[in-house]
């Protein structure tokens, strides 16, 4: 079914009338894509099972993959979470609004259609003025996955959202390019010890400094494809470009010469080859389409460009992509987690 998608420009600030209109769409069971500090979200009323079902249809998302409920004030957490441990409050105080999602045992009022049938609910308060205003206007509880077609890289601009969602949803709010570029850190607070299920901008060290011991889902560090992660959505070959992608790890010298050799071979074989480089190395690659993710000294520049570089290779019709590894100090885990999935776990050590 094709519908008209209203696109609203809020790059220069929050426009109250359009926010009320977005709120009305949400309260009536419609879908609104909106900016957050991490990636663009595709929002629906989290308390309305039928509305949540529309998200799965628009994205082509498997229905066992639960949605994150976005709130605009901490007290609303108590309306959907059955138990809020003290440590969760410490994290909320320190990191909300911000790129942190916490998982709690859910209250009955949260429909199964929002949580994929789980008895837990993921909750986050995004750090974006437009998002917060829209959530309030929409009734306070907005279920929102990333606003991409399932399996494609997450959107970091409204143009990316339009590529995937135009004609399928009611409204897209353009708030400009996001600031972080990879999805929020997910921490499960429903067990004995808090556990990171998805790495993000807020890393384990920051969490440990705030609340003491935090574990991490062992599946996050496994390069094997058959280890099942605890967050249902983490099992999919997500974030993937259409090209065959390989990550090349090793010393800078070895990586650059290996990639140059492979790209030369690919180009000779008549393939469209791409290279994902850094500002420090981009000038050392010879053939193929070379894109820098940014400087290794500025991790946010890298996380912010990651998905748009992958999308760009899609639109250029790349057949094969060779990427450097980006194991940077603070966000390396989050960046590599997405890259490794984009590459379908193909990593070569040279
Ligand atoms: O930064 C973000 O979190 C973005 C923006 C839009 O807020 N949202 C986002 O949503 O990344 P999505 O749907 O693309 O990813 C949600 C992840 C999935 O891996 C899902 O399986 C997991 O969170 N998840 C949601 N509820 C869960 C639950 N109750 N238990 C375990 N994992 C859960
Ligand atoms: Mg997603």
């Amino acid at each position: 079914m094709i519908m008209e998608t209203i696109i609203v420009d809020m790059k220069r600030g929050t426009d109250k009338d359009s926010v009320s209109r977005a709120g009305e769409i949400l309260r009536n069971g419609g879908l609104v894509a909106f900016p957050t500090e991490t990636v663009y979200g595709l929002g629906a009323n989290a308390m309305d099972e039928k509305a949540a079902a529309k998200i799965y249809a628009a994205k082509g998302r498997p229905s066992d993959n639960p949605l994150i409920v976005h709130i605009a004030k901490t007290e609303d957490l108590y309306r959907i979470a059955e138990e809020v441990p003290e440590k969760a409050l410490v994290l909320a105080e320190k990191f909300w609004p911000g790129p942190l999602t916490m998982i709690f045992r859910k209250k009955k009022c949260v429909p199964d259609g929002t949580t994929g049938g789980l008895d837990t609910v993921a909750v986050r308060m995004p750090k974006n003025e437009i998002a917060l205003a829209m959530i309030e206007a929409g009734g306070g509880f907005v279920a929102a996955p990333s606003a991409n077609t399932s399996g494609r890289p997450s959107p970091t601009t409204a143009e990316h959202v339009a590529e995937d969602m135009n004609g399928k949803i009611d409204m897209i709010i353009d708030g400009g390019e996001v600031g972080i570029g990879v999805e929020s850190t997910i921490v499960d607070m429903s067990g004995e010890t808090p556990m990171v299920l998805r790495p993000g901008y807020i890393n384990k060290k920051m969490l440990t400094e705030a609340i003491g011991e935090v574990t991490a889902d062992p599946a996050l560090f496994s390069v094997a494809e058959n280890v099942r992660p605890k967050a249902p959505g983490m099992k999919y070959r997500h974030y993937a470009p259409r090209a065959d992608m390989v990550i090349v790890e090793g010393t800078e010298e070895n990586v650059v010469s290996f990639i140059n050799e492979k790209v030369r071979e690919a180009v000779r074989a008549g393939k469209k080859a791409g290279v994902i480089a850094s500002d420090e190395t981009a000038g050392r690659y010879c053939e193929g389409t070379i894109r820098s993710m940014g400087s290794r000294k500025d991790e946010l520049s890298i996380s912010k460009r990651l998905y748009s570089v992958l999308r760009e290779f899609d639109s250029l019709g790349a057949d094969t992509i060779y990427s450097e590894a980006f194991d940077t100090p603070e966000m390396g885990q989050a960046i590599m987690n997405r890259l490794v999935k984009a590459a379908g776990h193909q990593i070569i050590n040279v």
Side-chain angles (χ1 to χ4, degrees), residues 247-275:
I247 299 170
V248 185
E249 255 176 350
T251 62
E252 189 178 305
E253 280 310 309
N254 288 355
V255 168
V256 170
S257 58
F258 182 87
I259 292 181
N260 270 327
E261 193 183 306
K262 286 291 174 190
V263 169
R264 183 172 317 132
E265 274 172 28
V267 170
R268 286 221 187 106
K271 285 192 193 157
K272 270 199 182 168
V275 179

Side-chain angles (χ1 to χ4, degrees), residues 224-298:
E225 219 166 341
N226 53 2
V227 181
R228 191 164 258 250
K230 295 193 183 350
M234 297 285 279
K235 70 174 177 280
Y236 297 105
R237 186 190 167 188
H238 243 142
Y239 318 122
R242 296 185 184 110
D244 186 55
M245 180 169 154
V246 177
I247 299 170
V248 185
E249 255 176 350
T251 62
E252 189 178 305
E253 280 310 309
N254 288 355
V255 168
V256 170
S257 58
F258 182 87
I259 292 181
N260 270 327
E261 193 183 306
K262 286 291 174 190
V263 169
R264 183 172 317 132
E265 274 172 28
V267 170
R268 286 221 187 106
K271 285 192 193 157
K272 270 199 182 168
V275 179
I276 301 183
S278 53
D279 287 357
E280 287 79 5
T281 54
R284 301 183 62 194
Y285 293 104
C286 314
E287 291 179 75
T289 306
I290 299 140
R291 288 290 176 271
S292 173
M293 291 251 275
S295 168
R296 287 180 183 276
K297 295 192 199 86
D298 176 5

Side-chain angles (χ1 to χ4, degrees), residues 117-128:
L118 297 178
D119 57 7
T120 52
V121 60
V123 189
R124 142 164 154 85
M125 191 194 295
K127 190 176 183 145
N128 178 294

Side-chain angles (χ1 to χ4, degrees), residues 59 61 146 148 154 183 238-239:
K59 278 179 66 85
R61 176 175 172 118
S146 48
N148 51 287
S154 297
E183 302 85 346
H238 243 142
Y239 318 122

Side-chain angles (χ1 to χ4, degrees), residues 144-164:
S146 48
N148 51 287
T149 300
S150 212
R152 289 210 74 202
S154 297
T156 54
T157 66
E159 288 75 26
H160 295 162
V161 177
E163 268 172 38
D164 288 8

Side-chain angles (χ1 to χ4, degrees), residues 44-311:
N45 180 358
M47 299 308 199
D48 174 352
E49 202 150 23
K50 280 200 197 117
K54 288 186 191 164
I55 289 182
Y56 290 92
K59 278 179 66 85
R61 176 175 172 118
S63 63
D64 70 340
N65 191 1
L67 306 171
I68 296 174
V69 179
H70 293 65
I71 58 174
K73 30 187 208 307
T74 303
E75 65 242 48
D76 283 346
L77 175 58
Y78 294 91
R79 292 174 51 195
I80 51 177
E82 187 63 58
E83 255 173 75
V84 180
E86 185 58 38
K87 284 178 184 172
L89 278 184
V90 174
L91 293 180
E93 180 74 24
K94 200 167 166 73
F95 297 115
W96 277 359
L100 176 72
T101 296
M102 289 190 275
I103 292 175
F104 302 95
R105 286 188 39 225
K106 81 171 183 78
K107 283 212 161 122
K108 285 216 172 59
C109 62
V110 186
D112 280 344
T114 298
T115 63
L118 297 178
D119 57 7
T120 52
V121 60
V123 189
R124 142 164 154 85
M125 191 194 295
K127 190 176 183 145
N128 178 294
E129 207 186 291
I130 301 167
L132 293 171
M134 183 206 76
I135 294 165
E136 289 260 34
F141 301 94
V142 173
S146 48
N148 51 287
T149 300
S150 212
R152 289 210 74 202
S154 297
T156 54
T157 66
E159 288 75 26
H160 295 162
V161 177
E163 268 172 38
D164 288 8
M165 293 298 154
N166 209 1
K168 295 183 180 167
I169 64 177
D170 299 280
M171 184 187 265
I172 297 173
I173 302 178
D174 185 351
E177 193 187 33
V178 301
I180 294 179
V182 295
E183 302 85 346
S184 61
T185 305
I186 301 180
V187 187
D188 186 351
M189 303 303 294
S190 70
E192 194 72 9
T193 310
M195 182 188 277
V196 177
L197 305 189
R198 179 173 74 182
Y201 176 84
I202 295 175
N203 61 27
K204 203 162 154 233
K205 186 165 139 259
M206 292 154 83
L207 295 167
T208 310
E209 273 166 16
I211 55 167
E213 192 192 1
V214 172
T215 58
D217 182 355
L220 294 179
F221 309 105
S222 165
V223 285
E225 219 166 341
N226 53 2
V227 181
R228 191 164 258 250
K230 295 193 183 350
M234 297 285 279
K235 70 174 177 280
Y236 297 105
R237 186 190 167 188
H238 243 142
Y239 318 122
R242 296 185 184 110
D244 186 55
M245 180 169 154
V246 177
I247 299 170
V248 185
E249 255 176 350
T251 62
E252 189 178 305
E253 280 310 309
N254 288 355
V255 168
V256 170
S257 58
F258 182 87
I259 292 181
N260 270 327
E261 193 183 306
K262 286 291 174 190
V263 169
R264 183 172 317 132
E265 274 172 28
V267 170
R268 286 221 187 106
K271 285 192 193 157
K272 270 199 182 168
V275 179
I276 301 183
S278 53
D279 287 357
E280 287 79 5
T281 54
R284 301 183 62 194
Y285 293 104
C286 314
E287 291 179 75
T289 306
I290 299 140
R291 288 290 176 271
S292 173
M293 291 251 275
S295 168
R296 287 180 183 276
K297 295 192 199 86
D298 176 5
E299 295 184 53
L300 272 177
S301 77
I302 295 174
S303 61
K304 199 161 38 178
R305 282 188 45 75
L306 170 64
Y307 289 132
S308 62
V309 166
L310 295 178
R311 274 185 184 256

